[in-house]
Amino acid sequence: MLIGKNVELRPVTKPDLQNVYRWNNDEEITRLGSGSEFAYQINNPLEAIEAHYEQNLTQLNLLSHGYVFSVYEKESSQHIGKCDFRDINFITRSATIGLVIGEKDYWGKGYGMDIIMTLAKHLFYDLNMERIQLDTWSGNHQALRVYEKCGFKLEGRLRSNEFINGEYYDTIMMGLLRSEFQPDLY
């Protein structure tokens, strides 16, 4: 378990998947988190989600493929989201991260920043990563603000690469180097 200021990143358990199912089938949450992948993420049956997690969380070497955490609010022990790291490159010492806060009552209260900083500390200091990266779509303004507050820098823009609600948006790619990481930032 990884412990932040207000969150705990725990291994995913089968009971957590009920919430993942609910979040994956909430249009607002899925559209923000998935961008143009929305159509593939929404309306997945619980059995499909369980099968996906069973397959991906029981591999012998999770580290080489990445890892998914359930995010719990520390004080109440409420399951509020999920986060992960993936696409690990041991030569360049890089990984991609992602997160979803599925409980809307926890939006805009600093939990996203806490999740990212907790995950970044683990990746930089425990797993010896040199860089972490992420991407989102240009209309996800709240996520972009959080990533910038955590120190991520704009590294690329794929113009009109996302199609959401009948409009085109850019894919925004951001990165953070270990030398830029400021763990006492928040």
Side-chain angles (χ1 to χ4, degrees):
M1 177 175 8
L2 304 176
I3 299 174
K5 289 186 176 181
N6 297 303
V7 298
E8 294 176 346
L9 309 184
R10 302 179 187 174
V12 176
T13 64
K14 191 160 183 157
D16 293 340
L17 299 181
Q18 289 287 336
N19 287 331
V20 172
Y21 167 74
R22 185 170 46 85
W23 300 332
N24 280 7
N25 287 292
D26 181 297
E27 187 173 332
E28 182 181 19
I29 294 168
T30 302
R31 198 173 300 282
L32 283 170
S34 300
S36 57
E37 295 289 316
F38 169 80
Y40 305 114
Q41 299 296 325
I42 196 82
N43 296 324
N44 284 310
L46 178 60
E47 296 78 20
I49 292 169
E50 288 174 341
H52 173 77
Y53 275 80
E54 181 71 26
Q55 177 186 5
N56 290 301
L57 295 178
T58 58
Q59 295 172 355
L60 291 176
N61 192 356
L62 286 170
L63 187 54
S64 66
H65 300 287
Y67 198 83
V68 180
F69 296 94
S70 285
V71 178
Y72 280 79
E73 199 271 337
K74 197 183 332 185
E75 189 173 307
S76 68
S77 270
Q78 180 171 342
H79 183 210
I80 64 168
K82 62 181 183 166
C83 67
D84 72 293
F85 63 88
R86 61 192 177 280
D87 304 329
I88 300 164
N89 184 321
F90 288 108
I91 295 170
T92 62
R93 297 185 0 246
S94 64
T96 301
I97 66 168
L99 73 136
V100 171
I101 298 177
E103 296 300 328
K104 295 177 186 177
D105 291 345
Y106 291 85
W107 288 7
K109 297 182 179 175
Y111 289 96
M113 187 171 187
D114 194 17
I115 293 165
I116 292 169
M117 298 301 277
T118 302
L119 197 54
K121 281 182 192 176
H122 177 60
L123 290 167
F124 287 136
Y125 301 148
D126 298 330
L127 300 181
N128 197 29
M129 293 291 121
E130 174 60 22
R131 64 173 276 115
I132 54 178
Q133 58 206 33
L134 52 80
D135 66 77
T136 190
W137 54 288
S138 57
N140 193 350
H141 303 291
Q142 185 173 344
L144 290 168
R145 281 192 302 273
V146 170
Y147 302 150
E148 288 172 356
K149 284 173 69 174
C150 290
F152 280 81
K153 308 281 187 251
L154 176 67
E155 294 187 335
R157 175 183 296 269
L158 301 174
R159 297 174 299 142
S160 294
N161 193 53
E162 305 278 346
F163 187 71
I164 301 154
N165 285 338
E167 293 184 47
Y168 283 97
Y169 292 86
D170 297 346
T171 299
I172 306 297
M173 297 169 292
M174 303 179 84
L176 178 65
L177 302 178
R178 183 197 319 228
S179 61
E180 300 167 335
F181 180 55
Q182 299 177 28
D184 299 324
L185 185 67
Y186 74 119

